[in-house]
Amino acid sequence: MTMNIGADIDKNLGVAELAELFGGSPDEVSRWCAPFLDAFDFRYTELAGAERDAMLLEAVKRLEPNAVSVAGQGRKPDWEAGWSENLTEFLAGGHQLDALVPKYIRPNEVVRLFGQYARPRAPHFIRNYTKTYRAWLAQRFFADAAAIYEFGCGPGSHVAYFAETFPEKPVVGLDWAAASVNIMEAIAGHYGWKVSGHRFDFFAPDHGIRLPEGTAVLTFGALEQVGTNHGPFLDYLLANKPLRCVHVEGINELYDEENLLDRLALRYHQQRNYLSNLLTRLQELEKAGRVVIESVHRQRFGTRFNDTFSHVVWRPA
């Protein structure tokens, strides 16, 4: 028998691998994510040789001056346009929940996985992985909440999932785009879930929006827009005393600069002016006795250029 030494070998994200990525236990993943484990194909192949080199070169090119757009207040019109597109498709397509997935989650994308570049077998790997992780996240951090508020909720994919999973809980989506609020109204009107929406700007929080007692807060890839300017939002949260706050974000402090892919990811993160030093600030607040950090986890999964699914979970002291 002749062996093809250079042949690609599929790997797979099973229960144990997903538990390691999420920061949970295999039992939790088996119980809470069962429908997705049965439905989705999580096979992938790690990139090697010329294909890996090409991906590294693409990452390096992204670090050149003016190669990428910069996050911040100036991009608000872009998000308004993006969520308006999701709203149009949601209304025109019979209120299908997959129409709420952000357009930047594209099929057939290379991903970062366990410190390597990987090519998934399934075209919608990122979308399906997100759904699976979200099922674990919901049960781990939100099952005991009286209400759920997602800040920077965008087109409302997470809001819809939480509302369907916990129909007894009010689920509120907040975003600086008017189209997002319109999506929340459309979700509530069609499905009858306890969903509502409000305009909210991280840079100028509306302190008139009060969190009910027992509220759990979520941000999911939303705080990347604030860069270093997370102080106003943290002040808002501290004043409202939520049950806990869960931030699923790219967290710059968790990269290892002695690792090539991590160093490139951190430089990309900085080039985009993404969320910076939130964890450091929370650690300072913990030392001052103002917050308790419940969990910090580096999730070694992300899109092509950086890891975006790490989390920090905290509550006011």
Side-chain angles (χ1 to χ4, degrees), residues 4-272:
N4 186 352
I5 301 299
D8 291 336
I9 300 175
D10 273 343
K11 295 187 176 184
N12 183 58
L13 297 181
V15 169
E17 291 80 11
L18 289 169
E20 180 180 349
L21 288 165
F22 298 169
S25 70
D27 178 66
E28 290 171 348
V29 173
S30 294
R31 287 187 291 118
W32 298 340
C33 307
F36 304 108
L37 298 175
D38 293 337
F40 297 147
D41 180 357
F42 286 127
R43 288 174 294 172
Y44 66 94
T45 302
E46 290 182 355
L47 271 57
E51 196 172 21
R52 183 176 187 269
D53 288 349
M55 193 64 243
L56 286 168
L57 180 59
E58 185 176 354
V60 170
K61 287 180 177 179
R62 295 289 173 128
L63 305 182
E64 296 174 357
N66 304 313
V68 294
S69 60
V70 177
Q73 290 171 288
R75 293 206 61 205
K76 183 177 179 180
D78 298 332
W79 298 114
E80 189 73 68
W83 307 152
S84 293
E85 185 177 356
N86 284 101
L87 174 60
T88 298
E89 291 190 10
F90 183 60
L91 296 176
H95 299 84
Q96 297 297 310
L97 295 180
D98 275 346
L100 303 179
V101 176
K103 298 300 179 184
Y104 56 73
I105 299 180
R106 302 180 182 91
N108 299 306
E109 287 278 352
V110 168
V111 299
R112 292 165 52 90
L113 189 54
F114 290 119
Q116 301 291 334
Y117 293 121
R119 185 173 302 283
R121 174 72 67 90
H124 293 288
F125 185 95
I126 298 175
R127 185 188 69 187
N128 296 340
Y129 181 94
T130 303
K131 289 180 177 181
T132 308
Y133 171 59
R134 187 174 58 193
W136 176 85
L137 192 79
Q139 298 299 330
R140 177 64 180 83
F141 295 115
F142 294 90
D144 60 343
I148 300 168
Y149 277 53
E150 184 185 3
F151 289 84
C153 66
S157 176
H158 304 317
V159 168
Y161 176 77
F162 281 100
E164 183 177 22
T165 301
F166 303 117
E168 75 285 0
K169 303 181 193 295
V171 182
V172 181
L174 305 98
D175 199 277
W176 60 358
S180 181
V181 178
N182 293 335
I183 292 173
M184 301 306 113
E185 294 172 352
I187 292 172
H190 181 78
Y191 289 98
W193 296 327
K194 294 181 178 180
V195 169
S196 59
H198 294 285
R199 296 284 292 276
F200 189 92
D201 187 340
F202 288 129
F203 297 99
D206 181 354
H207 285 264
I209 299 175
R210 304 294 299 173
L211 302 183
E213 184 176 355
T215 293
V217 165
L218 172 67
T219 69
F220 201 123
L223 288 179
E224 68 180 25
Q225 293 301 309
V226 306
T228 60
N229 194 15
H230 39 69
F233 184 49
L234 287 181
D235 289 343
Y236 168 85
L237 293 175
L238 287 167
N240 274 272
K241 300 187 182 303
L243 175 70
R244 73 174 53 87
C245 301
V246 180
H247 305 301
V248 180
E249 307 282 348
I251 300 175
N252 63 300
E253 296 98 326
L254 299 183
Y255 288 114
D256 176 7
E257 291 204 65
E258 298 304 312
N259 175 280
L260 175 59
L261 265 65
D262 272 18
R263 195 178 187 92
L264 289 171
L266 178 59
R267 295 295 178 265
Y268 176 81
H269 187 106
Q270 293 166 337
Q271 186 90 335
R272 297 297 304 269

Side-chain angles (χ1 to χ4, degrees), residues 259-301:
N259 175 280
L260 175 59
L261 265 65
D262 272 18
R263 195 178 187 92
L264 289 171
L266 178 59
R267 295 295 178 265
Y268 176 81
H269 187 106
Q270 293 166 337
Q271 186 90 335
R272 297 297 304 269
N273 192 35
Y274 282 162
L275 175 67
S276 180
N277 296 336
L278 172 67
L279 177 57
T280 298
R281 179 57 181 152
L282 289 171
Q283 290 169 337
E284 292 171 350
L285 290 170
E286 186 172 51
K287 288 180 180 178
R290 299 185 63 192
V291 310
V292 175
I293 297 175
E294 297 183 356
S295 177
V296 177
H297 179 68
R298 163 81 187 278
Q299 185 167 169
R300 297 181 67 79
F301 172 80

